[in-house]
Each structure stands twice: as C-alpha cells, then as structure tokens.
Amino acid sequence: MSAAAAARKRGRPASGAAAGAGAGKRRRKADSAGDRGKSKGGGKMNEEISSDSESESLAPRKTEEEEEEELEETAQEKKLRLAKLYLEQLRQQEEEKAEARAFEEDQVAGRLKEDVLEQRGRLQKSVAKEIQGPAPADIRVLRGHQLSITCVVITPDDSAIFSAAKDCTIIKWSVETGRKLHVIPRAKKGVEGQPPSHSSHILCMAISSDGKYLASGDRSKLILIWEAQSCQHLYTFTGHRDAVSGLAFRRGTHQLYSTSHDRSVKVWNVAENSYVETLFGHQDAVAALDALSRECCVTAGGRDGTVRVWKIPEESQLVFYGHQGSIDSIQLINEEHMVSGADDGSVALWGLSKKRPLALQREAHGLRGEPGLEQPFWVSAVAALLNTDLVATGSHNSCVRLWQCGEGFRQLEPLCDIPLVGFINSLKFSSSGDFLVAGVGQEHRLGRWWRIKEARNSVCIIPLHRAPRPPAAGS
C-alpha cells in the first residue's frame, strides 16, 4: 500500500496536489457554512440578502413545460373565441338574408295580391292620407278659351292636356310648359272647304288608353274622331238624335262608348270606323258616362235619378238608386266601385253588388242662400284616382274638395279644399297621381242658370304633393 492511500485510510491529509485540492474543498464548505451562520444571526445587509433569497424560495420558478402549457392553452382559447365570433357573424348574415327573402316574398305577395285585386276590380291603394293640399300660388292657370270650359282629358303619359269649351274649340296644352301645342278652331257655319271641326258647344271628350285617338262630342249630335298626336281629323260618327253628353274608350282597346240626351248608349269601333250597336234604358237625358277595362260602361241618368251599369255582350243593365236630384257626373274608381255627384249636393260611392250607395255624403259642398231658404251647392264634377282611395269633387262654392274613401268604400271623409273660383265643370287625375286638372268656367257646362263674373274660363293644373311616409317600426 502506498503512503497516500494509507494516509486517506487513516483520515490524514495527503501531501502534494491531492492534499491541496482537498483543503480547497473544505475551505469552500466552511465559507458557505459561515455565510449561512451569519445570515441567521445577521445585520442589515444580511437581512436584505436573506429577504431576497426567501422570496425566491417562496415563488418557485415555472418550468418550461408549464410555460409551454400556458401558452398552448391561450392559443386554444383564442381559436375558440374566433370560432365563436365567426359563427355569430354567419348567424347574423343568415338572419339578414332570411329577412331580405321574407321582405322580397312579402313584396311579391303584395304585388300578386294587387294584381289579383286589380283584375277583380277591387284594388284600393291607400294614398289619400299622403296628399297635401297645394298653396294657391302653386296652381297653374292656363287661359285660351273665350267661354266656359266644359271638359278636359289628359294623355296617358301625362304630357299633354286637351280642353274643350262652349266656344266650340279644342286646345292641346303642354303640361310641362303650359303652352298651347295645337288649337282646333270653331267651324264657321255656311263656309265651305274648311277643315272639319265643331260648330256647337262641345260637352265631352275621351282619349284612348294608347293615346292614339281623341273623341269629342257636341250639342249638334256629332262625334268627331281625331289623331291625338297631330290633332288631324279622322272620322265623324253620326247616329245620336240629340246632344252627345258622354264619351269613354274601353281601356286597352279602340272600342268607344257614347251616350246622349236621346237616352241611348251607343258602341263604336274607332279603329275600323264602324258603328256596333245601341242600348236603351234611361228614362231621361243621360248626363255622363265612364268605362274601364271590362266590356261594360256606367252612366249617370240625369233627372231619371238612376246610375246604370251596361253589360255590353249580354245587352243588359243594372239599375242603382240613391240620389234625390239629377245625377250629372260619374266616374269609376275601379272595376267594382264608382263615385257620382248630383245637383242635390250629394256625393255617392257605389259597389256593383248593392243597388244602394255604400256611402252617401249629403251637402258635400255646403249650402247657399238666405237663412231658411238654403239650397245645397250642386256637385258638377267628380274624379277618382284609379284603384286608390282618393276622390275629388267640384261645385261652384269656390273650391275643389278632396276626399278619402274608407275601407271597403263604405265611408267618405273630407281631406282638404283647394280654392278655385267658378263652376268646376270637369276634373281629371293624372295617371301618376301627381296632379289634378280642373276645367273652370263662369257657367255650368250644361246650361246658363248662373254666371259667376269673377271666375276665369281656364284650365287649372293643381299639383298634389305627397307627405313622406313615417319610417317603419324597427327600421
């Protein structure tokens, strides 16, 4: 055994390098032991060092695996949150698409319903409450006739107005500019070689739904057919035995209906320049006539106190009673309902299923005369905006009155008055409903019972402004 091995066995330090290394180790252990002893007993500096070491020992460091696990969990949560957000966006988009589809389906269903109601003649669009009465300064007055205006018609595209008067002339006006586009002068009696025209009071006019033909009737029993665009005379229809008081084209055709003080209703084919047939039934002079798409027409029977619906193919008629006076004006609202006015001051709404008025407004334009001797103002003109609830009436009480038809045409409520001085002899709504045209005269179109000197013989274009609809709930 060597000396070094024997010394290690006996616990003595070895000599040389091995002994030095062992002594160094023992000194480092002693130093660390002394430090621990000092930290336990310690001063200020030792306390601070001790505090740091204690805090480090109380908050153990996270292992790399724990940190990676925490990072991995946060990414998963982020992915989950983004996935939920994406699903929520998809759900909202699907809801919006479903709402849009439902809205479109509602619109399509509404249009289909309107088409069905229009075909059945029962369509009633609600527009009356949107109409606002114009200011007097907004009413455009067109002057050109020397005597009272008796009738007006508007072209289907609302670009021009035809007016006729007791001065036997017809004037075509531009709606946009208010200027005369054409004048058909009075025919002078006994003068040969002049173009055909009227030589007596013109009482009625009608224009075809395609705007091609214009028809006019006068007290001389004549019906003249004109080309509406150029105002060139085409044909003259004869056959009535008294003044021609009403004309109407069947919509979508060139079939013309006419009525007269001879109590008859005649049917003509304008495109073929031919007479078709004559129908009888009224007991007095017929005052007015109107027609729409169906092969029938309605007439106001004047003093026989009846409104009649003529079924042309069957050559039959329906008779309606309700007014107490002479029924001087009538117009169809749709294929199943109509409005009429009489000289007893009443306005009536009718349905083809009942022989009595659905609604009757007496003294529609008030009373005139001394106390105790009051008489109602005559209703001299009526008009209706097709397939809506808007009606207009005229008299000589210095105003045109607008009315709203209640649900099912069972009520008539006044909306507003539009000031116009004179006899309102004719009223027509434009196809768009943007304006109303009134033919105003100093005298009634059928006679000379009164004369309003301050009135002007004119055509008045009355703008109809519509109030914006309130926003729908939830929009």
Side-chain angles (χ1 to χ4, degrees), residues 305 322-326 342-344 346 356 362:
H323 292 284
Q324 300 298 317
S326 175
D343 66 2
D344 63 357
S346 62
R356 294 286 176 179
R362 299 189 184 278

Side-chain angles (χ1 to χ4, degrees), residues 17-246:
K25 289 182 180 178
R26 285 195 295 270
R27 280 197 300 272
R28 285 196 294 272
K29 289 181 181 178
D31 291 341
S32 63
D35 291 340
R36 284 196 297 272
K38 288 179 182 178
S39 66
K40 289 180 181 177
K44 186 174 181 180
M45 182 63 69
N46 292 337
E47 289 178 0
E48 290 178 359
I49 295 171
S50 174
S51 175
D52 291 341
S53 62
E54 285 178 2
S55 65
E56 290 176 0
S57 63
L58 290 174
R61 294 181 180 178
K62 295 179 180 178
T63 63
E64 293 182 1
E65 294 180 356
E66 289 176 346
E67 290 178 355
E68 290 177 359
E69 185 179 352
E70 184 176 356
L71 290 174
E72 185 179 357
E73 185 178 1
T74 303
Q76 288 177 351
E77 289 178 354
K78 185 176 181 181
K79 289 179 182 178
L80 182 61
R81 178 174 58 82
L82 292 176
K84 288 182 178 179
L85 182 61
Y86 179 65
L87 291 174
E88 179 65 19
Q89 290 176 348
L90 287 179
R91 186 184 64 79
Q92 290 179 356
Q93 290 176 1
E94 289 300 321
E95 286 182 356
E96 291 174 358
K97 289 180 182 178
E99 289 178 1
R101 284 196 298 268
F103 180 70
E104 290 176 359
E105 289 172 0
D106 288 344
Q107 283 190 321
V108 171
R111 287 195 295 269
L112 290 174
K113 184 178 179 181
E114 284 188 2
D115 292 342
V116 171
L117 289 174
E118 188 171 2
Q119 289 175 2
R120 294 181 179 178
R122 298 176 183 176
L123 183 60
Q124 185 184 10
K125 296 178 184 176
S126 180
V127 301
K129 284 193 174 181
E130 301 174 14
I131 300 299
Q132 295 179 327
D138 294 337
I139 299 174
R140 297 162 59 196
V141 180
L142 312 180
R143 300 197 64 188
H145 291 284
Q146 301 300 314
L147 298 178
S148 296
I149 312 295
T150 56
C151 52
V152 295
V153 293
I154 307 172
T155 56
D157 60 2
D158 294 341
S159 64
I161 299 168
F162 289 93
S163 62
K166 289 184 177 182
D167 60 12
C168 312
T169 63
I170 298 174
I171 299 178
K172 183 179 181 180
W173 307 85
S174 167
V175 172
E176 183 178 359
T177 64
R179 295 180 178 178
K180 298 177 185 177
L181 299 177
H182 201 282
V183 178
I184 301 176
R186 175 177 184 168
K188 298 180 180 179
K189 294 182 179 180
V191 178
E192 296 182 358
Q194 60 182 330
S197 57
H198 294 281
S199 60
S200 61
H201 296 178
I202 303 169
L203 299 181
C204 53
M205 286 193 300
I207 191 167
S208 60
S209 56
D210 61 358
K212 185 175 182 179
Y213 296 111
L214 174 74
S216 55
D218 63 17
R219 285 192 175 275
S220 298
K221 316 170 192 177
L222 300 178
I223 300 172
L224 273 61
I225 307 299
W226 313 85
E227 185 182 28
Q229 181 63 31
S230 62
C231 296
Q232 296 298 310
H233 177 262
L234 299 176
Y235 320 119
T236 298
F237 291 160
T238 60
H240 281 294
R241 293 176 294 173
D242 206 336
V244 180
S245 55

Side-chain angles (χ1 to χ4, degrees), residues 396-399 418-424 440-441 452 454-456 458:
H396 61 285
N397 67 324
S398 302
C399 77
I418 301 169
L420 279 183
V421 178
F423 278 90
I424 311 301
V440 184
I452 303 175
E454 60 270 24
R456 294 188 293 176
S458 58

Side-chain angles (χ1 to χ4, degrees), residues 388-452:
T388 72
D389 60 347
L390 182 60
V391 167
T393 60
S395 183
H396 61 285
N397 67 324
S398 302
C399 77
V400 170
R401 184 160 290 175
L402 298 182
W403 305 80
Q404 179 184 9
C405 303
E407 185 68 27
F409 298 95
R410 296 186 177 276
Q411 195 174 3
L412 201 59
E413 300 175 355
L415 287 176
C416 62
D417 290 346
I418 301 169
L420 279 183
V421 178
F423 278 90
I424 311 301
N425 288 323
S426 183
L427 288 169
K428 286 290 186 295
F429 282 101
S430 63
S431 300
S432 61
D434 292 336
F435 60 92
L436 173 68
V437 177
V440 184
Q442 293 181 333
E443 302 170 351
H444 193 283
R445 77 181 184 100
L446 297 176
R448 303 188 67 181
W449 298 282
W450 296 280
R451 188 169 183 269
I452 303 175

